[in-house]
Amino acid sequence: MPELPEVETVRAGLEPLVSGATVHAVTVLRDSCVRHQEGGPSEFAMALTGASLGAVVRRGKFLWFLLEGDGAGHSTRGLALSAHLGMSGQFRSFEGEAPTPHTHCRARLALTREGEALTLDFLDQRTFGYLHVEPLVPTADGGPGGQGSPMPLLPRSVAHIARDVLDPTADVTRAREALRTGARAIKGVLLDQTAISGIGNIYADEALWSAAIHPLRRADSLTVEESARLLDSAREVMSRALAQGGTSFDALYVNVNGESGYFSRHLAAYGRFGEPCFRCGTMILKGTIGGRSSHWCPQCQGVSHPGTDRD
DNA sequence: CACACGTCCTGGTAGC
DNA sequence: TGCTACCAGGACGTGT
């Protein structure tokens, strides 16, 4: 599942490829992939046709292409092509003549770049991903919209998403406080993209293991030191994955199971149920927290309810 | 207001 | 062998 490191790798791969290209045809092969487009597939195609693609920007797991120039009889300035990869989304590109679309291809953009044909396919086996064209709105703090952004604007659907773990302009104090606010389990807060973004189920478990914090700890039971440690752990785990992801797979080919970068990752908690903890040798436990599978070491991530309960 | 939980969907796999 | 039931995951809408 693409989390921040994968999405950033995709963004970095897409930008030099499509920046400056013009859309001349749009084919939606599965309507639900544009379900967030109010006017449906026809509006999506209409909005995009004739537009030029500019910078490719990312915040957390959200990705968007800034639109430039004029679409079919209308200006596309102030609009973005937003993309979310969901669990299995990926982009694939073809120069020259494009092959028959893959079974999982949900939409195809026919582009022209420097007079050459370029095809950009959006594939998504499990269909949680989506594309839509939407207006840009100002960021709340006037800061840059995200990684790769030249301006303080965000797609409307991303406006409520917090700055991500690796965003150098993120307010660290604020992020630390967000992590120790509320009665929820800390794991739930890590997955809440409005608190801090970019963390998915796998890296949430990894960050908690690394920081030696139980996933069921109440967020507001964390000390200032613990939330700082957790944020540092999340950042470290994500940046290590990014460094690895950037070199271990083709930027535009993130496999459905993330096979090219995913399984080669060094995971200490996620998926290691019954295996010995790398720190203390205790068997890693597995359970469901907030409807998500969770993995933790009962020894070194010990206490889920400090002062009352020992897990 | 804060939070829990069901929902969307597909394909791989465990189990019969 | 072939079938079914179940599970995984991100984000959001709805219910408490």
Side-chain angles (χ1 to χ4, degrees):
Chain A
M1 327 320 138
E3 297 192 29
L4 188 158
E6 291 75 23
V7 181
E8 171 55 20
T9 304
V10 170
R11 186 204 69 78
L14 280 172
E15 179 149 273
L17 188 77
V18 303
S19 188
T22 300
V23 181
H24 66 81
V26 176
T27 313
V28 175
L29 292 100
R30 190 188 171 104
D31 289 0
S32 67
C33 86
V34 294
R35 60 190 175 279
H36 291 297
Q37 190 80 46
E38 282 181 30
S42 59
E43 183 185 272
F44 176 74
M46 189 100 70
L48 221 40
T49 305
S52 293
L53 304 181
V56 186
V57 191
R58 180 193 57 78
R59 175 180 285 209
K61 306 171 208 169
F62 292 77
L63 190 68
W64 62 95
F65 305 70
L66 296 178
L67 299 185
E68 297 170 347
D70 296 325
H74 59 277
S75 172
T76 63
R77 247 167 245 293
L79 296 179
L81 165 59
S82 292
H84 197 292
L85 302 178
M87 298 180 56
S88 54
Q90 52 181 275
F91 284 102
R92 284 194 202 169
S93 69
F94 306 95
E95 291 178 344
E97 196 180 340
T100 302
H102 186 276
T103 318
H104 298 143
C105 182
R106 308 309 185 199
R108 167 170 281 188
L109 305 187
L111 310 172
T112 306
R113 190 193 52 182
E114 293 166 3
E116 302 289 320
L118 180 69
T119 301
L120 189 63
D121 281 353
F122 177 67
L123 281 68
D124 190 18
Q125 178 199 105
R126 295 193 185 176
T127 74
F128 277 16
Y130 54 78
L131 302 173
H132 58 136
V133 176
E134 61 176 336
L136 292 162
V137 300
T139 54
D141 57 11
Q147 176 69 44
S149 175
M151 51 181 98
L153 297 171
L154 286 171
R156 191 173 52 198
S157 69
V158 187
H160 65 294
I161 300 299
R163 288 189 183 279
D164 66 57
V165 188
L166 297 184
D167 189 334
T169 69
D171 182 335
V172 173
T173 307
R174 191 168 170 170
R176 286 175 180 169
E177 283 313 303
L179 287 181
R180 54 192 295 272
T181 300
R184 280 186 293 173
I186 184 59
K187 167 131 189 205
V189 180
L190 282 176
L191 294 176
D192 180 351
Q193 306 296 304
T194 69
I196 182 157
S197 73
I199 304 173
N201 196 44
I202 292 153
Y203 291 128
D205 281 3
E206 293 302 304
L208 287 163
W209 179 86
S210 178
I213 294 170
H214 196 289
L216 282 175
R217 277 281 298 282
R218 268 178 66 125
D220 59 11
S221 79
L222 264 65
T223 64
V224 176
E225 193 209 18
E226 283 175 322
S227 77
R229 195 169 76 220
L230 182 54
L231 188 60
D232 286 347
S233 292
R235 193 184 294 133
E236 200 240 316
V237 164
M238 303 287 250
S239 50
R240 204 185 330 131
L242 177 58
Q244 191 181 333
T247 56
S248 66
F249 58 77
D250 183 337
L252 291 181
Y253 186 80
V254 181
N255 190 290
V256 171
N257 293 316
E259 278 171 319
S260 26
Y262 203 65
F263 287 167
S264 62
R265 256 178 241 152
H266 175 80
L267 299 176
Y270 188 86
R272 297 198 63 246
F273 171 61
E275 295 174 44
C277 171
F278 291 134
R279 258 192 314 248
C280 71
T282 306
M283 294 226 289
I284 297 290
L285 292 184
K286 179 180 181 177
T288 300
I289 298 173
R292 292 287 169 259
S293 68
S294 303
H295 308 71
W296 69 94
C297 171
Q299 179 64 36
C300 46
Q301 291 175 258
V303 198
S304 62
H305 304 290
T308 55
D309 192 6
R310 42 179 57 250
D311 195 357

